Amino acid sequence: MGKKEILKKRNKKRAKTLEHKRKIKSFEEIIFSQAFSIIGGLTAGTLLAIYTDRILLIPGLFILLPGFLEMGNAISGSLSARISSKLHLRELTHSILIKNIIASFVLIILSSISLGAITYLLSRFIFGIDNLRLILIPIVAAVISGIILLPLTSKITITLYHHHEDPDNLIGASSTTLGDIINIGAILLAITILL
Amino acid sequence: MKKIIATIIKESLRIVILASLLSSIGGIGLELIQKKLIAILPLLIVFPALNNMIGNFGTIISANFTTLLFTKQLHAKWKSKKLKELLHQLAITAFFSSILLATIANLIAYYKGFPLTLDVFLKVLLIVTICVSILVTLICLISITAGFYYYHLNEDPDNVLIALATSIADLGALIIFSVLIYLIF
């Protein structure tokens, strides 16, 4: 067997080993991200279980809650995905990052206004609950959440990118987990402020 | 500066509002089973985690999928080795995550003083497993189809896919979760 063939065979074996290691690492990251997501979700659920009495003070809040969580996760998830794509393409600058955060903040405020209106209308016409606080709660909560969540999501995305080969598996978990905890906290705080 | 911000808002606003609207509609289901949800503590604890977990699957598939697209590893085809590998990993993780989630939620409820029985434990486990299995399959199919669609339209799938995947996850999870609670408890 020639030297070239031996080298070729060795390189092939090495490539196979590297591919196998990459697969395992990616799998580990997905498992880790799900574990992180479960822990975060359970923390949010436990918060709900502890403050059930406060939630029951606002009739119709169960209609608002999933929409608000969804809105926060969608916006912070998109923000981190955009930052991640820019990082992969090596196009992320400070200016682009700031623009993305501002756009996400405007989005979260605009969406919370429409979410409040939708929730109010749904609870008014389906359950006969006439509670104007249902419009104000998501707006106040969105301001609180936006100030904390968006810069934090960006920072975590960039940190994960610099410390992991494939951050896509962890970015989603970190943004939705943080999103759920911060958003439930923001809603509870908004209820306290507005009651 | 204004152009980038305006583009992001323009491309994302409709889908985010639609996603929130869908979730609020799902919230109606939750409002209808509110009494059971508060009375059976593991269900209240499991609800955000279940939503989060399913949404996270949507984000994982969307983020990985768009990265594979942008780095030209998929060539906009379904039958890609990398895509199959990703789906396989997601299926295995989904199965074990649902068991873990149901178990921990029951344990937390038990330590918070909820009178946990084997019957309730198994029912919560069943609800979580069914929800996760149905929704992960659905999210994968819809995210990839939509991703290819927006990619071919020369639009950035990042602005749409995450919102789409998480809204399917939220609405689907709320509806399936509410229906299963109504049927099983």
Side-chain angles (χ1 to χ4, degrees):
Chain A
M1 200 185 282
K3 219 176 182 180
K4 266 188 180 175
E5 271 182 62
I6 295 171
L7 213 66
K8 211 175 167 184
K9 214 174 169 184
R10 195 185 293 165
N11 283 343
K12 213 176 169 183
K13 202 175 168 186
R14 202 172 284 170
K16 219 175 169 181
T17 314
L18 282 173
E19 176 67 14
H20 186 64
K21 275 188 179 170
R22 190 197 57 78
K23 264 189 210 174
I24 291 174
K25 198 175 179 201
S26 167
F27 199 26
E28 275 174 0
E29 283 182 348
I30 292 179
I31 291 171
F32 176 76
S33 81
Q34 278 303 355
F36 188 63
S37 154
I38 289 172
I39 293 166
L42 287 170
T43 310
T46 311
L47 266 177
L48 275 182
I50 293 169
Y51 294 104
T52 311
D53 51 342
R54 203 168 293 183
I55 290 162
L56 288 172
L57 287 175
I58 308 283
L61 198 74
F62 272 102
I63 302 175
L64 173 72
L65 201 60
F68 190 77
L69 295 182
E70 160 55 33
M71 180 191 77
N73 286 346
I75 293 171
S76 66
S78 293
L79 173 69
S80 55
R82 274 196 304 269
I83 293 172
S84 168
S85 294
K86 291 281 177 211
L87 283 166
H88 278 293
L89 296 168
R90 304 194 184 282
E91 287 175 0
L92 187 76
T93 60
H94 183 68
S95 152
I96 289 177
L97 180 68
I98 297 295
K99 284 171 200 165
N100 271 280
I101 293 176
I102 293 173
S104 301
F105 191 77
V106 176
L107 261 177
I108 213 167
I109 300 296
L110 292 176
S111 313
S112 68
I113 295 169
S114 62
L115 177 69
I118 290 164
T119 309
Y120 174 74
L121 292 173
L122 283 175
S123 56
R124 171 108 195 242
F125 292 109
I126 296 175
F127 296 98
I129 302 165
D130 189 8
N131 187 0
L132 276 171
R133 284 199 187 103
L134 285 173
I135 300 176
L136 292 174
I137 288 171
I139 299 170
V140 175
V143 173
I144 298 167
S145 157
I147 290 169
I148 304 167
L149 184 62
L150 301 175
L152 204 60
T153 303
S154 315
K155 180 79 187 161
I156 289 171
T157 307
I158 295 167
T159 310
L160 283 175
Y161 179 81
H162 290 304
H163 291 89
H164 286 86
E165 212 172 276
D166 187 5
D168 286 341
N169 298 328
L170 302 170
I171 285 167
S174 60
S175 62
T176 53
T177 302
L178 268 178
D180 275 359
I181 298 172
I182 293 172
N183 286 331
I184 284 186
I187 281 205
L188 291 170
L189 195 61
I191 293 172
T192 312
I193 293 169
L194 293 169
L195 269 179
Chain B
M1 176 150 178
K2 277 181 185 169
K3 199 185 167 194
I4 293 180
I5 295 174
T7 309
I8 293 171
I9 294 171
K10 195 181 148 197
E11 283 187 16
S12 309
L13 189 62
R14 264 181 302 171
I15 191 84
V16 172
I17 292 176
L18 184 70
S20 311
L21 174 68
L22 288 176
S23 294
S24 297
I25 293 170
I28 296 170
L30 220 55
E31 186 74 22
L32 288 170
I33 52 141
Q34 186 197 9
K35 279 180 188 166
K36 281 184 184 177
L37 201 61
I38 288 168
I40 305 158
L41 210 55
L43 293 176
L44 186 65
I45 295 170
V46 95
F47 144 70
L50 183 69
N51 250 11
N52 195 2
M53 193 178 95
I54 296 170
N56 188 31
F57 274 116
T59 314
I60 290 175
I61 181 115
S62 305
N64 273 287
F65 176 73
T66 49
T67 301
L68 288 175
L69 264 179
F70 286 131
T71 51
K72 313 276 179 206
Q73 291 185 68
L74 272 188
H75 308 293
K77 280 178 188 165
W78 270 89
K79 286 179 184 174
S80 153
K81 194 185 162 195
K82 298 243 176 189
L83 191 59
K84 278 183 191 167
E85 199 179 281
L86 177 69
L87 295 176
H88 185 239
Q89 288 177 345
L90 285 174
I92 295 171
T93 320
F95 178 72
F96 288 106
S97 301
S98 49
I99 294 173
L100 185 73
L101 172 62
T103 310
I104 299 177
N106 277 303
L107 284 175
I108 293 174
Y110 177 72
Y111 282 109
K112 272 193 74 30
F114 178 76
L116 187 69
T117 59
L118 184 65
D119 184 47
V120 173
F121 176 82
L122 290 175
K123 282 177 178 175
V124 173
L125 183 66
L126 189 68
I127 288 172
V128 173
T129 317
I130 294 174
C131 261
V132 173
S133 316
I134 295 173
L135 286 163
V136 169
T137 313
L138 201 66
I139 288 166
C140 287
L141 286 172
I142 295 175
S143 295
I144 296 169
T145 311
F148 281 136
Y149 174 74
Y150 283 106
Y151 186 72
H152 287 305
L153 285 181
N154 281 329
E155 276 188 33
D156 184 357
D158 277 335
N159 293 335
V160 181
L161 275 196
I162 306 271
L164 185 70
T166 48
S167 63
I168 295 165
D170 271 8
L171 180 65
L174 290 168
I175 292 173
I176 297 171
F177 188 63
S178 306
V179 170
L180 288 173
I181 288 173
Y182 180 75
L183 293 175
I184 295 175
F185 280 99

